[in-house]
Amino acid sequence: MLQIQAVLRTEKEMEWWLSMPKVELHAHLNGSIRDSTLLEVARTLGEKGIIDFSDVEHVIMKNDRSLREVFKLFDLIHILTTDHATVTRIAKEVIEDFAAENVVYLELRTTPKRNDSIGMSKRSYMEAVLKGLKAVSSVDIAFIPYNEDATSLIRSLPTNVECNGATRKKIYVRLLLSIDRRETTTAAMETVMLALEMRHLGVVGIDLSGNPVVGEWITYLPALKFAKEQGLCVTLHCGEVPNPKEIQEMLDFLPQRIGHACYFQKEDWEKLKSSNIPVEICLTSNIRTASIQSIEVHHFVDLYKEKHPLVLCTDDSGVFSTSLSKEYKYAASSFGLGKMEMFELAKNAIEYIFADGSVKNDLRAIFASETKKLNL
Ligand code: 6MZ
């Protein structure tokens, strides 16, 4: 009996975190893939004799992966998912999953990929992503920043839309194009050029990601500089492994945001704080990959106390079996924060989004109306 009551309490508690509006700023498309979709795609390729399903099943289902193993899994995911139809499917499902979580603004990042053998260019990869966004029908999605496609553009709706008495969820989506650390300067520049060409389709910035032990900062710098000069926002995976020189160079670049900041030393914190660069915090990812030894020593605590700009994010909700609601609940229970404080944290993230001021205003209105509903 007591056990049932405890389960019901946990479920009710989870419902609250689900219902709270949230802003997601650090989510990798292929890291956010549903396990069920990944397994289905792998099984189909197995049946066609393209892969041996029994070889990959345990890799997909494994839960405790080191950072090195995570990147091995990404290589496998890319083999399984990188064709136009699957990219479209994943994009659609990922948006639906975030919307179901009451994420009201999502900045989804992905690495445009070229694969000549199947006629895929970086542009056609991104077109497949956009097709996935357009295919979402279960929620209202606003992803085109300018008034170019009135049918896809749902604007000035300060809260979830009433439709036949039922409330349809609404989500703003913007895209970041990722440069993989394995890429050359030319390939990185190609991604930036593509982002500029796709600005009118909701691309707002550039991310630098990929295996942090691969590549050199100097390789990506020309493309990142150019992106910044052209008015694209830039976020960098920074300090995922100990690399003091690179961390300092990245901070000197003054990106609009950084992700992770796990291996920062005293001088890095000083530079970060004096330049007020917002940090995308991915708790489960950092703990699972052992980039941070334990949640008690996570830098969230210090940054939060000092009121440094920060935002809770999932990183790879599929790979790490998490969700943004779970990340908020995890932070609240780990750091002794109340619902009001967590709501404020989610709301403050609006200030660090890469979309324009009118989207910020809409989001502020959504949070204001939700404050009343949530009984805060
Ligand atoms: C660095 C990461 C990452 O781009 O194919 N990625 N890069 N650190 C992380 N922390 C664990 N998690 C994901 O999504 C998968 C790609 O995102 C980057 C890697 O480059 C990975 O291949 P897309 O949609």
Side-chain angles (χ1 to χ4, degrees):
M1 185 65 184
L2 281 175
Q3 254 176 348
I4 296 172
Q5 278 175 347
V7 170
L8 289 176
R9 238 194 340 266
T10 313
E11 274 178 9
K12 202 155 183 340
E13 182 74 4
M14 199 60 218
E15 256 173 45
W16 193 91
W17 295 107
L18 267 171
S19 65
M20 187 181 95
K22 292 169 286 286
V23 169
E24 169 66 83
L25 301 184
H26 187 134
H28 298 269
L29 176 64
N30 279 294
S32 309
I33 185 172
R34 294 175 188 164
D35 272 353
S36 56
T37 299
L38 196 54
L39 282 170
E40 189 191 315
V41 172
R43 205 169 281 125
T44 308
L45 293 179
E47 281 160 12
K48 288 183 183 163
I50 299 170
I51 58 157
D52 186 342
F53 180 67
S54 59
D55 275 358
V56 302
E57 188 184 13
H58 70 279
V59 182
I60 294 171
M61 296 320 286
K62 194 170 184 264
N63 241 334
D64 51 337
R65 296 184 188 92
S66 66
L67 196 59
R68 221 180 98 243
E69 286 173 325
V70 164
F71 287 99
K72 273 196 185 158
L73 176 64
F74 280 127
D75 286 342
L76 173 64
I77 292 178
H78 290 146
I79 291 168
L80 299 177
T81 64
T82 308
D83 66 82
H84 294 111
T86 312
V87 169
T88 297
R89 172 183 175 176
I90 298 169
K92 176 178 180 282
E93 290 178 353
V94 166
I95 307 292
E96 287 171 349
D97 291 349
F98 276 110
E101 280 259 304
N102 266 310
V103 168
V104 290
Y105 177 90
L106 164 67
E107 255 167 44
L108 187 62
R109 56 186 78 188
T110 193
T111 322
K113 295 166 189 76
R114 182 178 155 187
N115 183 349
D116 294 338
S117 67
I118 55 162
M120 178 180 277
S121 63
K122 285 188 173 187
R123 170 176 276 280
S124 74
Y125 174 94
M126 283 313 300
E127 282 165 355
V129 172
L130 289 168
K131 202 171 159 193
L133 266 62
K134 286 181 188 157
V136 174
S137 59
S138 56
V139 294
D140 290 319
I141 164 170
F143 68 93
I144 299 181
Y146 308 119
N147 199 2
E148 289 201 346
D149 180 350
T151 53
S152 318
L153 181 71
I154 301 145
R155 292 226 68 136
S156 314
L157 299 170
T159 187
N160 287 339
V161 191
E162 286 284 333
C163 173
N164 297 333
T167 304
R168 271 172 69 80
K169 290 190 192 303
K170 183 196 170 201
I171 183 167
Y172 281 93
V173 179
R174 293 294 182 269
L175 296 169
L176 306 181
L177 302 200
S178 302
I179 295 168
D180 187 306
R181 295 184 61 112
R182 286 176 292 198
E183 291 186 287
T184 60
T185 305
T186 310
M189 193 61 98
E190 221 182 284
T191 297
V192 173
M193 294 306 288
L194 183 60
L196 290 169
E197 286 165 29
M198 295 190 126
R199 258 176 155 175
H200 66 292
L201 296 169
V203 174
V204 288
I206 294 288
D207 155 57
L208 175 68
S209 55
N211 192 335
V213 299
V214 171
E216 305 260 353
W217 169 243
I218 192 82
T219 307
Y220 331 112
L221 186 57
L224 293 168
K225 251 187 181 163
F226 181 65
K228 222 174 166 198
E229 282 160 15
Q230 295 298 311
L232 284 167
C233 293
V234 175
T235 177
L236 305 172
H237 280 60
C238 180
E240 254 188 308
V241 290
N243 189 343
K245 185 167 168 279
E246 184 181 271
I247 293 171
Q248 283 288 314
E249 285 167 344
M250 283 184 167
L251 294 173
D252 287 338
F253 175 75
L254 292 176
Q256 275 80 4
R257 294 196 308 254
I258 60 159
H260 297 299
C262 297
Y263 286 89
F264 272 33
Q265 295 172 349
K266 194 167 168 279
E267 59 273 26
D268 306 324
W269 290 124
E270 280 167 7
K271 197 169 267 186
L272 176 88
K273 288 175 186 174
S274 66
S275 42
N276 223 30
I277 301 168
V279 185
E280 303 152 0
I281 300 267
C282 311
L283 295 174
T284 301
S285 163
N286 295 162
I287 298 298
R288 284 278 177 86
T289 58
S291 306
I292 297 290
Q293 289 317 307
S294 76
I295 195 72
E296 292 77 30
V297 297
H298 199 283
H299 44 284
F300 173 96
V301 178
D302 174 58
L303 293 176
Y304 183 82
K305 271 191 200 145
E306 295 216 2
K307 296 193 174 13
H308 185 86
L310 60 87
V311 48
L312 285 181
C313 304
T314 53
D315 204 5
D316 300 293
S317 55
V319 169
F320 298 119
S321 308
T322 189
S323 67
L324 198 52
S325 306
K326 285 185 188 165
E327 294 301 303
Y328 271 85
K329 186 170 182 278
Y330 187 28
S333 61
S334 305
F335 310 126
L337 296 170
K339 287 178 177 161
M340 185 67 189
E341 287 156 315
M342 297 312 286
F343 182 86
E344 282 298 313
L345 189 67
K347 191 175 75 174
N348 289 344
I350 299 170
E351 307 313 316
Y352 322 130
I353 70 171
F354 290 169
D356 60 30
S358 69
V359 177
K360 286 186 181 173
N361 283 337
D362 284 0
L363 294 174
R364 290 185 192 114
I366 291 172
F367 274 81
S369 85
E370 291 296 312
T371 315
K372 292 175 206 141
K373 282 195 219 153
L374 285 169
N375 250 340
L376 285 164

